[in-house]
Amino acid sequence: MRFQLLGPLAIADGPDTVVLQPSKPANLLAALLLNANSTVSAGYLQRAVWGEEQPATAKAALQTCVLRLRRLFAKHGVTGTSIEAVPGGYRIVAGPPTLDLLAYRDQVRRATAMDRDPEAELYTLRDALSLWQGALLANVRSAVLHRDEVPRLAEERLRVVERVCDLLLGLGRCGEALVDLWTATRVYPGHERFHEQLIEALYRSGRQSQALAEYRRVKDFLREELGVDPSPSLRHLELSILRGEDLGPVGQAAPVVSASGAVVGSGSASGAVVGSGSASGAVVSRVVRGETVPQPDAETPEPEPAPGSEAAPAPVPAPDPAPGPDPATIPALVTAPVPTSARAPVAAPAPAPVTVPPGAATGAPSAAGACAPPADAGIGPVPGVPHFTGRAAEAEVMAARLTAPPPTGPADHRALAVVVSGAPGIGKSALAQHVARQVGDAFPAGRLLVRMTRGDGEPRTAGEVAAALADALGATGEGRALLILDDVVDADQVRPLLTPGGPPGTGPGLAVVVTSRMGLGGLIATHGGWVQRLTAFTEAESYGLLLAALGAERVEAEPEAAHRLTAVCGHFPAALRILTARLLTRPGLRLADAVDWLGDDPLARLTLTDSPGHSVTGLFDRALDRLDPRLSQAFTHLAQGPPELLADGGPEHEGPVPEAVREQLADAGLLEDGPPGPYRIHGLLRAHVRRTARIRDRRTEKV
């Protein structure tokens, strides 16, 4: 059981959440939780519940509210948290496992200790930010709390958002920082630090004119709305951009001092650090440039820390009570789309040299800084896949087909080599990339990965891809080239690339691999080729992945628990990758304990919270969003109903689901082949649909 303050006041039990309706006891509960483990005076609680003008019976009514809360706790089985009557007032006892605010502060405090590992600090802060679930205390009607407490909580979050963006800049990941900074600067137009980060990110990405335009925009706003000039640091940044200067590495942050005067953190990559175990977490920070920050492998996801102990509250001065926009309106940093397959957060071995055609993107830094994007962010060399395991038979057959002599036939016929299809997260891209690197010697003209969807999930048009391929393949040398068209939405998206009017270089010597959630039977019918349909791992393949990622010593010490973990994941590759990533960051966690931890709420815990691409729920949500609304509705009906709905006849009281609908859902990778019937739904996907329906229809409860 867990109390949620970082959003609407709620009580959560695993996937089930009860959002409390506005009431006097809800005001009291919020006031106590905001000061958990501290004595809160009866006078303050009365003001929080009734406002400055209290009824004559406020003291007795307060005791009644406490009694109603205790009954609510008993009704919902709340344990480990109680309201205690102490001299002068009341106190509620809670810890990070039972209160999201304490868990958030504990994560932030842990992050400040990771001064020598900016990647780990970044991930830990993003994990903390993922606890924010919406507008703060939206269902609490207390003017006192919204005046005194909400602004302080908002300030805590803003400082962490600043720090995350500073870390992204320091790590050379300006594109990720831009996604969050565009929104932050519009929600908080007078927040100069966000504008400074945005301008710096634009300039380091080679977008000098946009950086200057953004400076002029914030300068006009400050003068017209507030009557002040930009800060000296903003003016200095503008001057550096006008001169075309290299900004140099993003520097080291000065120590962060809490309101109580304690040093909270220092020595990490540039930016304003937030970290506080205090009740409000107000901090003072300043950015100083100077120390080089190491550049990590962009393909390696950040590790996730374990939950820890609670933060001791401490009093801080109240900030200006004027409320600004709710910081929770800024999209969570953990949801930035990263269209890559889930991988374990360990350093990959150095990849073998890859031949890149002259027109292909290399991602070399520009003079403006280390964040310049490649010439075409959708096309690049084929990356390696860390700890690739399983799929031995599929990889062998694919390699044989790709290295076979090009098919003979008419000059206008360009046959596909392989279509790799299957459910979202089943490992299609990983298999294609792994095999492409295995057969590199057979393709001296190069191997290219073409992402057919953008980072926001929108498909790229055939014309857009053809133009980019013309540049990348038009100047290739002698020999064959290999092209991976990754995450194709439908056959029409790739047909123009496989016709006589396609881009230069797409001749008979070109081998093409298409990965798609769709079966693409129509494309096979018109262009030939071979289909590799992927399903979940076998038990042996799942166990092999744990061995490769976690190490034989850890896994073989608890083989039974390891097999149980793979079963909880349903032998689903994306889920297993996420699981191993989480376990790698918790080396002291026994696998047997992890079984119970994961089994309590697998969907919530099979997530790496820095991106939806590393979240099972996000993966399924994006797949369902691609469906036609009628198909999506039919699939939701199937997933919520009994397994017999998938049979040809269906239950008598339900009626059959048309075979055409089931075929379309199977073609989209959402239905697997039986037994027991012709189709079945993977357990994780079925659980996700049911959980989403419960959250959508969750009830509100009056206290």
Side-chain angles (χ1 to χ4, degrees):
M1 194 66 67
R2 182 184 183 91
F3 290 98
Q4 294 180 348
L5 273 177
L6 303 180
L9 180 62
I11 302 175
D13 184 9
D16 299 319
T17 301
V18 175
V19 178
L20 304 183
Q21 287 189 349
S23 64
K24 297 297 189 294
N27 293 355
L28 173 61
L29 179 59
L32 289 170
L33 290 173
L34 286 166
N35 298 276
N37 305 309
S38 298
T39 299
V40 187
S41 70
Y44 179 80
L45 291 175
Q46 290 170 21
R47 291 195 302 274
V49 174
W50 286 280
E52 300 298 342
E53 297 183 3
Q54 304 165 28
T57 60
K59 184 175 182 180
L62 181 64
Q63 296 174 349
T64 302
C65 288
V66 171
L67 180 61
R68 290 172 63 183
L69 285 178
R70 287 171 175 164
R71 289 173 178 170
L72 177 72
F73 290 2
K75 176 181 177 180
H76 290 284
V78 175
T79 58
T81 301
S82 60
I83 300 176
E84 302 173 349
V86 295
Y90 293 90
R91 176 177 62 204
I92 194 168
V93 178
T98 56
L99 179 58
D100 59 355
L101 176 60
L102 296 181
Y104 168 77
R105 288 171 175 162
D106 187 67
Q107 289 287 74
V108 172
R109 190 177 67 233
R110 286 172 173 269
T112 62
M114 300 175 180
D115 55 344
R116 297 185 182 276
D117 190 347
E119 281 281 358
E121 182 184 359
L122 172 64
Y123 187 84
T124 306
L125 291 178
R126 279 179 152 171
D127 192 44
L129 287 171
S130 70
L131 296 173
W132 291 70
Q133 299 296 319
L136 283 168
L137 302 181
N139 56 336
V140 175
R141 305 291 188 259
S142 170
V144 171
L145 295 182
H146 282 277
R147 181 195 66 197
D148 297 342
E149 302 290 349
V150 169
R152 289 192 287 196
L153 290 176
E155 189 66 18
E156 284 191 55
R157 186 180 189 277
L158 286 180
R159 294 295 167 265
V160 173
V161 174
E162 286 181 14
R163 178 58 180 160
V164 165
C165 292
D166 277 322
L167 285 167
L168 288 171
L169 292 175
L171 293 168
R173 291 154 62 174
C174 297
E176 292 181 49
L178 284 171
V179 172
D180 304 297
L181 289 169
W182 280 120
T183 303
T185 53
R186 273 52 184 174
V187 174
Y188 298 93
H191 197 296
E192 290 188 71
R193 179 58 190 149
F194 283 148
H195 288 285
E196 185 177 352
Q197 291 172 315
L198 175 61
I199 293 167
E200 181 175 345
L202 287 169
Y203 183 57
R204 288 182 179 274
S205 300
R207 297 154 72 173
Q208 181 178 10
S209 60
Q210 283 183 271
L212 291 172
E214 184 62 23
Y215 175 82
R216 288 191 293 270
R217 196 188 72 80
V218 67
K219 178 180 178 181
D220 292 342
F221 172 83
L222 292 173
R223 286 183 172 177
E224 293 174 8
E225 300 294 329
L226 305 176
V228 298
D229 288 323
S231 65
S233 58
L234 263 176
R235 296 199 299 270
H236 178 76
L237 181 58
E238 182 212 21
L239 186 60
S240 297
I241 295 173
L242 289 171
R243 291 173 175 172
E245 297 175 350
D246 187 340
L247 297 182
V250 181
Q252 184 179 29
V256 180
V257 183
S258 70
S260 61
V263 176
V264 179
S266 64
S268 54
S270 115
V273 179
V274 154
S276 174
S278 68
S280 67
V283 295
V284 180
S285 60
R286 181 169 296 277
V287 180
V288 182
R289 292 190 175 92
E291 180 177 324
T292 302
V293 177
Q295 299 294 323
D297 182 345
E299 290 294 327
T300 305
E302 300 86 342
E304 179 182 59
S309 58
E310 73 179 72
V316 296
D320 183 73
D326 192 326
T329 59
I330 301 179
L333 295 172
V334 301
T335 60
V338 181
T340 56
S341 59
R343 296 173 184 164
V346 293
V354 179
T355 303
V356 182
T362 61
S366 70
C371 297
D376 182 355
I379 298 181
V382 177
V385 182
H387 298 123
F388 183 89
T389 56
R391 311 291 191 202
E394 294 90 337
E396 182 179 356
V397 173
M398 278 185 63
R401 291 186 178 274
L402 289 174
T403 55
T408 59
D412 62 350
H413 177 71
R414 298 183 172 89
L416 294 171
V418 181
V419 171
V420 184
S421 62
I426 206 69
K428 302 178 293 295
S429 300
L431 176 62
Q433 293 169 25
H434 173 73
V435 173
R437 292 174 68 87
Q438 279 189 323
V439 300
D441 292 343
F443 298 97
R447 294 158 291 164
L448 289 179
L449 176 67
V450 182
R451 302 199 184 278
M452 300 299 288
T453 53
R454 300 186 181 89
D456 59 4
E458 288 297 313
R460 305 174 77 196
T461 65
E464 177 186 352
V465 175
L469 282 175
D471 293 335
L473 293 171
T476 56
E478 295 296 327
R480 300 181 71 195
L482 174 62
L483 202 63
I484 299 177
L485 304 180
D486 190 45
D487 199 13
V488 169
V489 175
D490 54 40
D492 290 338
Q493 192 185 20
V494 293
R495 277 200 181 99
L497 306 177
L498 304 169
T499 63
T506 55
L510 183 77
V512 179
V513 176
V514 171
T515 73
S516 177
R517 298 172 186 175
M518 307 298 294
L520 301 182
L523 189 65
I524 296 296
T526 57
H527 288 73
W530 176 77
V531 178
Q532 176 62 66
R533 184 81 172 181
L534 299 185
T535 59
F537 275 163
T538 64
E539 185 175 352
E541 288 175 324
S542 299
Y543 189 81
L545 176 57
L546 262 61
L547 282 173
L550 301 179
E553 181 179 358
R554 186 177 183 185
V555 174
E556 291 177 351
E558 300 179 82
E560 182 181 352
H563 283 293
R564 290 169 60 198
L565 279 174
T566 63
V568 174
C569 291
H571 306 291
F572 197 72
L576 290 165
R577 287 286 185 183
I578 292 169
L579 170 67
T580 55
R582 297 204 67 170
L583 291 176
L584 280 167
T585 63
R586 303 180 66 175
L589 180 66
R590 295 175 60 248
L591 298 189
D593 295 331
V595 173
D596 297 330
W597 163 75
L598 180 63
D600 286 343
D601 192 357
L603 287 173
R605 285 163 182 171
L606 286 173
T607 177
L608 300 179
T609 51
D610 62 329
S611 78
H614 289 156
S615 162
V616 169
T617 56
L619 188 71
F620 290 157
D621 279 337
R622 290 193 301 277
L624 294 172
D625 287 344
R626 284 190 185 181
L627 286 180
D628 179 276
R630 291 170 297 180
L631 280 179
S632 180
Q633 185 177 6
F635 182 73
T636 300
H637 173 62
L638 287 170
Q640 290 184 275
E644 292 77 15
L645 275 177
L646 294 169
D648 290 333
E652 294 182 1
H653 65 283
E654 292 278 2
V657 174
E659 183 179 1
V661 172
R662 288 178 286 154
E663 279 291 325
Q664 291 180 71
L665 291 171
D667 191 57
L670 299 176
L671 296 184
E672 301 176 342
D673 294 336
Y679 306 106
R680 60 187 172 88
I681 300 175
H682 191 278
L684 285 178
L685 183 53
R686 184 186 290 274
H688 170 71
V689 173
R690 291 178 174 178
R691 182 176 189 264
T692 302
R694 284 198 304 268
I695 293 173
R696 183 180 61 247
D697 302 329
R698 67 188 179 187
R699 60 193 175 94
T700 60
E701 178 158 339
K702 186 175 182 179
V703 181

